[in-house]
Amino acid sequence: MIGHLAVVSLDAALAAGGNEPLDEGKLAPSDAELIERCLRKDNAAWELVVARFRRKVFHIAYKFTGKHDEAEDLSQEIFLKVFRALDKFHRDADFSTWLSSVARNYCIDHYRASKREKEVLVEDALAYDLAPAASGNPYRALEDKDRSSLVRRGLDQLPGKLREAVILRDLLGLSYQEMALRLALPEGTVKSRINRGREELARLLLRAQQPARRSAAAHAARRREVR
């Protein structure tokens, strides 16, 4: 229930455009006052907290994502995490500093999780490409062929240097040392190209899968309507 109230209050505060309302002739409450009121489940106080620190949190999120929409979504997740962790905040500490620390740590965790998700996507896709063709099951064989074709198209769209790095490492299985010798490059450059190639390939694969996912979702919705 608390989480639901936090989301409702957060949406209200964000809709207000991040401007903290002030009554004429009345001093704004301190951060400490607002936190105490929040701990007493005062939703109006929480809305003031969000309005006061919305831009700070958004700027932190934007530095990690580089995209406005993603930064907005991440900001909401950060504020929800802060709300749930308010009882762990030490009253003698500076709330703004603590909030910034929570926001940065959350963004770092989000970045790592997102990066790992892309790595798994590429690993799974390349594993399908390397796997032997299915036999005895025409539907499975067709699915494998489609996946392999998807990976190949993604590789073809990569810049030459990145495509070469991914193929040598993930398809041919060369070590970093072998690649460095073959390409006459430092190992650090080799690793960088591999990582960049995998990131870009993951982006291309996700984009290519979106129409299929939308089609599957629409098909599932039609089936539910029929039932």
Side-chain angles (χ1 to χ4, degrees):
M1 183 65 178
I2 291 177
H4 174 69
L5 291 174
V7 171
V8 172
S9 299
L10 176 56
D11 289 340
L14 293 177
N19 297 316
E20 183 179 345
L22 283 175
D23 292 337
E24 192 172 336
K26 186 177 180 181
L27 291 176
S30 67
D31 294 347
E33 290 177 63
L34 289 177
I35 300 309
E36 288 297 336
R37 286 168 55 186
C38 287
L39 291 172
R40 295 196 299 269
K41 300 181 181 180
D42 183 339
N43 290 329
W46 174 242
E47 290 180 12
L48 288 175
V49 170
V50 174
R52 182 173 293 181
F53 294 102
R54 176 180 179 271
R55 289 182 180 175
K56 175 189 284 287
V57 170
F58 175 83
H59 288 154
I60 293 173
Y62 189 81
K63 286 180 180 178
F64 278 85
T65 65
K67 297 180 180 178
H68 189 279
D69 290 345
E70 289 185 18
E72 286 283 5
D73 292 341
L74 202 53
S75 295
Q76 294 205 35
E77 294 173 17
I78 290 168
F79 274 116
L80 187 57
K81 182 175 181 63
V82 167
F83 183 85
R84 290 171 172 168
L86 278 180
D87 58 342
K88 299 176 183 177
F89 170 65
H90 296 292
R91 307 299 185 275
D92 56 345
D94 179 70
F95 179 73
S96 179
T97 302
W98 178 78
L99 173 68
S100 296
S101 176
V102 172
R104 278 192 290 269
N105 288 336
Y106 189 88
C107 287
I108 291 171
D109 290 342
H110 179 270
Y111 171 78
R112 288 172 176 167
S114 176
K115 184 177 180 181
R116 181 56 190 154
E117 182 181 358
K118 290 179 180 178
E119 289 174 352
V120 170
L121 175 64
V122 172
E123 289 168 2
D124 289 348
L126 292 173
Y128 265 101
D129 198 49
L130 290 170
S135 58
N137 186 334
Y139 298 106
R140 173 62 184 280
L142 181 61
E143 180 182 346
D144 289 350
K145 183 179 179 180
D146 289 341
R147 285 178 180 268
S148 179
S149 177
L150 186 66
V151 174
R152 293 295 176 182
R153 288 200 302 272
L155 286 170
D156 287 342
Q157 293 179 58
L158 289 179
K161 293 179 180 179
L162 302 187
R163 178 173 63 251
E164 181 180 45
V166 172
I167 290 176
L168 291 177
R169 177 64 178 174
D170 294 323
L171 294 183
L172 300 182
L174 270 64
S175 68
Y176 296 131
Q177 294 84 354
E178 290 171 330
M179 289 181 63
L181 288 172
R182 179 164 179 169
L183 300 174
L185 293 170
E187 281 190 35
T189 303
V190 167
K191 292 178 181 179
S192 175
R193 287 187 182 180
I194 293 170
N195 290 333
R196 286 164 52 206
R198 287 171 175 170
E199 284 273 332
E200 181 64 15
L201 180 58
R203 187 183 67 79
L204 292 168
L205 292 177
L206 285 170
R207 181 192 295 174
Q209 289 176 359
Q210 284 176 355
R213 289 176 177 176
R214 285 196 293 268
S215 176
H219 179 67
R222 286 195 295 271
R223 288 185 63 183
R224 286 195 295 270
E225 289 175 0
V226 170
R227 291 177 183 175

